[in-house]
Amino acid sequence: MSKRFYVTTAIDYVNGQPHLGHAYEKVITDVIARSHRAMGEETFFLTGTDEHGQKVQQAALAAGKTPQEYCDELAAIWQALAGRLGLSNDDFIRTTDPRHEAIIQAILAKLEQNGDFYQAPYHGYYSAKEETFLTEKDRREDGTFDPMWGPVTELVEENYYFRMGRHQQWLIDHLEANPDFVAPSYRRNEVLGFLRNNTLEDLCITRPKERLSWGIPLPFAPDYITYVWFDALVNYASLPGLRGDPVVIEALGPWLPQDGAFAPNPDLQLWPADIHVIGKDILKFHAVYWPIMLKAMGLPLPRQVLAHGWWQKDDERMSKTTGNVVDPIAVIEEWGLDAFRYYVTRELDIGPDGNWTDAGFAARYHAELANGLGNLVNRSLSMLNRYRQGIVPPPHDELRADVTSAVATVEGLLRGHSLQAALIAIWRLIDRVNQYVDQTAPFKLAKDAAQAGRLDEVLYNLAESCRILAVLLWPFLPETAGKIFAQLGLADTPDRWELSQWGGLAAGHQANKPVPLFPRRDQPAA
Ligand code: MSP
């Protein structure tokens, strides 16, 4: 067994409300996972929830529940979201999984033994809302802290620190030698700029238990709880580890419980991760602290941290307080899952920030999904049914070159994870085939018995183009791709790239009747 392509999303704070931003990240990661699988790579896609920390402890207390009960209820909502988004994730990690906790403790024990930690008093200001310490630099001109931090309290407490100094130079060297380690390149430059111009401060990796009990105790100092970010980042390696990934088990072996629960499984080679998909706000954790943690743990670094931008709605930050939030489930209920998946991937390239508008969504739905793709499939299959009782005529190659070249372009773009550009290329092909209908005018050919052969040719080219479009669309719009195959009367699933070879539809194959894929919603129902 060889190593699988391993792709992850950030794990969401369990106590947050799932919104467009979370859903976007999960959808683009799903498209990446599906396209790698379609191209024949064994793939593993992980997502999950980040469940420890002060906010969860406080919210559980306020709700009169134990933190675990509270997390169990909320994790179910996030797992349901993954289902509603059509994610093809292979597992779902929860940081309250006792096996994750055992791995965190193994890592802490190993790092303590290696001399990576020391104890020292901490003086500072603490934002419980953002679970972070603030410094004098965070004060505004008038001496106060931004209300986004919530109440800020002054603290003096003993804590454990992770030594960072010895790691700064090799990390700079690694970023310089591996230009793709952080993508897009402007995010890499940000990280390099930060590392070159600042001395990394040691990372405080504990909270005293008396202040925060909802977390993983240090194995060598049980009065301390592991800092939630240290705990959360490890999810990417702990899930492979708890499923027996040999690389993770090898690195942590002596520190793991020796009860046989962590036996290596040579069939599941995941680590190192190929891509961590994350939002730009958590880049420093992933491109600075996480590589350093891995190096200290003796594990290879991930191949890439891919940072996407942030969504706004109507040019404003989404926030629960203003009610300015896009609820992905509500959009999916109104417009369908694939309409949502299409809009977010088509509207926003991975990197820059994006802006959601309801009008923009409706416009793309009608122009690109209903008129572009939906109309093409509908008229191709209607004419095949009307003029040939749904029976596919003999193969013909008129659109072969156009389709084959589009397939090659889309393949290259998918391999480079240029999802938006891949959709643009697919729609260029859709427009080309729609034009072909207008140019060849099969409805006119059908009126002239002498043109029966020409009509056969056109109908074949249309049906075969629709079939291949389904294969190209699969990573993005799996439901729709499946419907196109079903309407073509194909029992297969369009989930393998090799199905995009021209000529797959055989003469005499019986297609089904079309059903509109994206009904228009701007006219009263007929
Ligand atoms: N729990 C941490 C991540 C730990 S990963 C080891 C966290 N959680 S979060 O729920 O706040 O965010 C989860 C992901 O959603 C992050 O990658 C974040 O960037 C992304 N988004 C949250 N709001 C967003 C937008 N408005 N737009 C796009 N993505 C956004 O951070």
Side-chain angles (χ1 to χ4, degrees), residues 351-367:
D353 290 339
N355 186 39
W356 175 290
T357 63
D358 291 343
F361 184 97
R364 282 203 189 279
Y365 179 91
H366 285 112

Side-chain angles (χ1 to χ4, degrees), residues 377-395:
V377 174
N378 203 265
R379 54 188 183 159
S380 301
L381 278 167
S382 303
M383 291 188 291
L384 185 62
N385 275 283
R386 194 171 326 132
Y387 307 137
R388 296 291 181 265
Q389 292 76 48
I391 296 172
V392 173

Side-chain angles (χ1 to χ4, degrees), residues 153-171:
T153 41
E154 200 174 346
L155 280 179
V156 181
E157 62 187 30
E158 196 75 4
N159 269 311
Y160 281 82
Y161 288 81
F162 185 164
R163 295 176 209 279
M164 291 281 138
R166 59 175 85 151
H167 295 287
Q168 188 149 356
Q169 190 54 49
W170 73 253
L171 187 54

Side-chain angles (χ1 to χ4, degrees), residues 95-216:
T95 53
T96 50
D97 184 326
R99 297 166 304 168
H100 168 77
E101 302 191 359
I103 290 182
I104 291 283
Q105 292 201 325
I107 294 168
L108 290 166
K110 177 170 180 176
L111 269 52
E112 167 70 358
Q113 206 171 326
N114 289 352
D116 283 303
F117 300 149
Y118 65 91
Q119 234 183 326
Y122 181 85
H123 302 258
Y125 306 94
Y126 187 71
S127 150
K129 180 161 172 271
E130 295 302 322
E131 312 224 19
T132 189
F133 288 110
L134 305 176
T135 65
E136 289 299 334
K137 275 189 276 172
D138 295 305
R139 281 190 196 275
R140 297 189 293 188
E141 270 177 21
D142 64 1
T144 61
F145 291 100
D146 193 300
M148 68 170 271
W149 301 113
V152 175
T153 41
E154 200 174 346
L155 280 179
V156 181
E157 62 187 30
E158 196 75 4
N159 269 311
Y160 281 82
Y161 288 81
F162 185 164
R163 295 176 209 279
M164 291 281 138
R166 59 175 85 151
H167 295 287
Q168 188 149 356
Q169 190 54 49
W170 73 253
L171 187 54
I172 294 175
D173 297 343
H174 184 79
L175 276 147
E176 282 172 346
N178 298 277
D180 294 334
F181 181 60
V182 176
S185 57
Y186 47 90
R187 297 284 176 222
R188 168 178 172 261
N189 294 342
E190 252 176 56
V191 177
L192 265 175
F194 168 78
L195 284 169
R196 285 184 186 134
N197 300 321
N198 296 277
T199 302
L200 268 183
E201 282 177 27
D202 292 339
L203 181 68
C204 181
I205 55 119
T206 54
R207 302 292 179 257
K209 196 170 192 165
E210 74 234 16
R211 178 158 71 77
L212 170 64
S213 61
W214 185 233
I216 304 174

Side-chain angles (χ1 to χ4, degrees), residues 201-452:
E201 282 177 27
D202 292 339
L203 181 68
C204 181
I205 55 119
T206 54
R207 302 292 179 257
K209 196 170 192 165
E210 74 234 16
R211 178 158 71 77
L212 170 64
S213 61
W214 185 233
I216 304 174
L218 263 60
F220 49 87
D223 288 344
Y224 288 90
I225 293 298
T226 313
Y227 173 41
V228 69
W229 265 102
F230 190 101
D231 165 359
L233 287 162
V234 169
N235 91 85
Y236 302 128
S238 70
L239 188 284
L242 64 85
R243 293 185 52 155
D245 183 292
V247 173
V248 176
I249 302 284
E250 158 100 30
L252 301 178
W255 293 273
L256 285 168
Q258 303 298 313
D259 56 3
F262 290 95
N265 171 11
D267 289 341
L268 195 83
Q269 297 177 29
L270 300 179
W271 198 261
D274 290 273
I275 309 185
H276 293 312
V277 179
I278 56 155
K280 63 175 187 179
D281 56 317
I282 55 177
L283 181 59
K284 189 171 156 191
F285 291 102
H286 286 80
V288 177
Y289 296 129
W290 180 226
I292 290 175
M293 287 164 64
L294 285 164
K295 178 91 165 179
M297 283 150 66
L299 278 174
L301 305 193
R303 306 232 154 87
Q304 184 170 77
V305 174
L306 180 57
H308 62 75
W310 265 44
W311 282 92
Q312 295 196 321
K313 174 158 193 270
D314 302 326
D315 293 314
E316 278 171 30
R317 194 189 159 95
M318 285 190 287
S319 115
K320 247 197 298 187
T321 27
T322 58
N324 186 42
V325 185
V326 178
D327 171 3
I329 305 277
V331 176
I332 290 167
E333 273 167 9
E334 187 177 350
W335 296 86
L337 170 59
D338 280 356
F340 177 79
R341 290 176 61 109
Y342 176 74
Y343 178 74
V344 293
T345 323
R346 173 63 184 82
E347 180 67 22
L348 184 56
D349 194 13
I350 302 181
D353 290 339
N355 186 39
W356 175 290
T357 63
D358 291 343
F361 184 97
R364 282 203 189 279
Y365 179 91
H366 285 112
E368 293 156 29
L369 293 174
N371 287 358
L373 172 62
N375 189 34
L376 173 63
V377 174
N378 203 265
R379 54 188 183 159
S380 301
L381 278 167
S382 303
M383 291 188 291
L384 185 62
N385 275 283
R386 194 171 326 132
Y387 307 137
R388 296 291 181 265
Q389 292 76 48
I391 296 172
V392 173
H396 185 265
D397 284 350
E398 198 163 7
L399 288 179
R400 180 184 205 126
D402 288 301
V403 172
T404 308
S405 114
V407 169
T409 305
V410 173
E411 177 172 339
L413 291 166
L414 282 178
R415 287 192 190 278
H417 308 128
S418 298
L419 309 187
Q420 183 193 49
L423 280 179
I424 292 172
I426 297 173
W427 256 260
R428 227 180 281 127
L429 178 62
I430 291 173
D431 292 345
R432 165 73 188 101
V433 184
N434 265 324
Q435 258 171 21
Y436 176 79
V437 180
D438 300 337
Q439 285 160 357
T440 56
F443 24 88
K444 284 192 194 143
L445 297 173
K447 292 188 184 134
D448 180 356
Q451 296 284 2

